[in-house]
Amino acid sequence: MTNTKYNSSSSFHPALAIANIRNHISVTLGMDNDKYPMWVALFTNHAKATRVLNHLIPSKGKEIAPSPEDDKELWEILDAMVLQWIYATVNNELLKTIVEENSTAKECWHRIKNIFHDNQHSRAVMFKQ
């Protein structure tokens, strides 16, 4: 995967062309459903296609943050956009659980991941009883 540089003087960033994320990710993630694996697959694929996957998952050995040569303002705009995409593809119950002031897309992504990984462990324990 190529390293995405954020530079406002370069060409238009593809993520900025997305007017309605629900046209690309039609699954609504909720606390009580088993759509998490499908939602993750659709979301990460879309993030790859729009060159913002690094806002959710770091490249090998790299932290998720703008490098000195990146345009910090554009990076922050894109991160806020990815965060809004997350918020727009979850139901209200889950949204109340994951929204935090001044959060990054990566932090929110990990909160969701932790919720569903904890739920998988709980379900496994229930089935063994």
Side-chain angles (χ1 to χ4, degrees):
M1 183 163 68
T2 61
N3 189 8
T4 303
K5 296 291 180 199
Y6 301 107
N7 188 329
S8 57
S9 64
S10 66
S11 63
F12 186 75
H13 197 285
L16 298 173
I18 306 303
N20 184 352
I21 191 63
R22 303 287 295 157
N23 290 336
H24 302 273
I25 303 171
S26 59
V27 173
T28 300
L29 185 62
M31 296 282 286
D32 60 344
N33 63 42
D34 295 328
K35 295 179 183 175
Y36 177 72
M38 183 181 356
W39 181 85
V40 167
L42 292 171
F43 207 100
T44 55
N45 188 57
H46 182 73
K48 279 182 204 176
T50 54
R51 296 185 3 223
V52 292
L53 184 61
N54 58 338
H55 285 264
L56 303 173
I57 304 165
S59 300
K60 234 179 198 178
K62 297 191 179 191
E63 188 57 35
I64 299 178
S67 66
E69 63 270 9
D70 290 339
D71 183 326
K72 187 174 188 231
E73 181 181 16
L74 179 57
W75 189 91
E76 289 174 352
I77 290 168
L78 292 172
D79 198 68
M81 181 175 289
V82 173
L83 187 58
Q84 288 289 32
W85 291 349
I86 294 171
Y87 293 163
T89 57
V90 301
N91 71 14
N92 286 336
E93 179 187 11
L94 182 55
L95 185 61
K96 290 175 188 175
T97 305
I98 63 170
V99 169
E100 283 187 17
E101 191 173 353
N102 299 318
S103 181
T104 65
K106 174 192 169 196
E107 292 165 344
C108 185
W109 185 258
H110 284 282
R111 280 194 296 277
I112 293 171
K113 182 178 179 181
N114 289 337
I115 288 168
F116 284 91
H117 282 252
D118 286 348
N119 283 351
Q120 287 173 350
H121 177 69
S122 298
R123 286 184 202 148
V125 170
M126 275 184 11
F127 287 127
K128 288 181 180 180
Q129 293 177 353

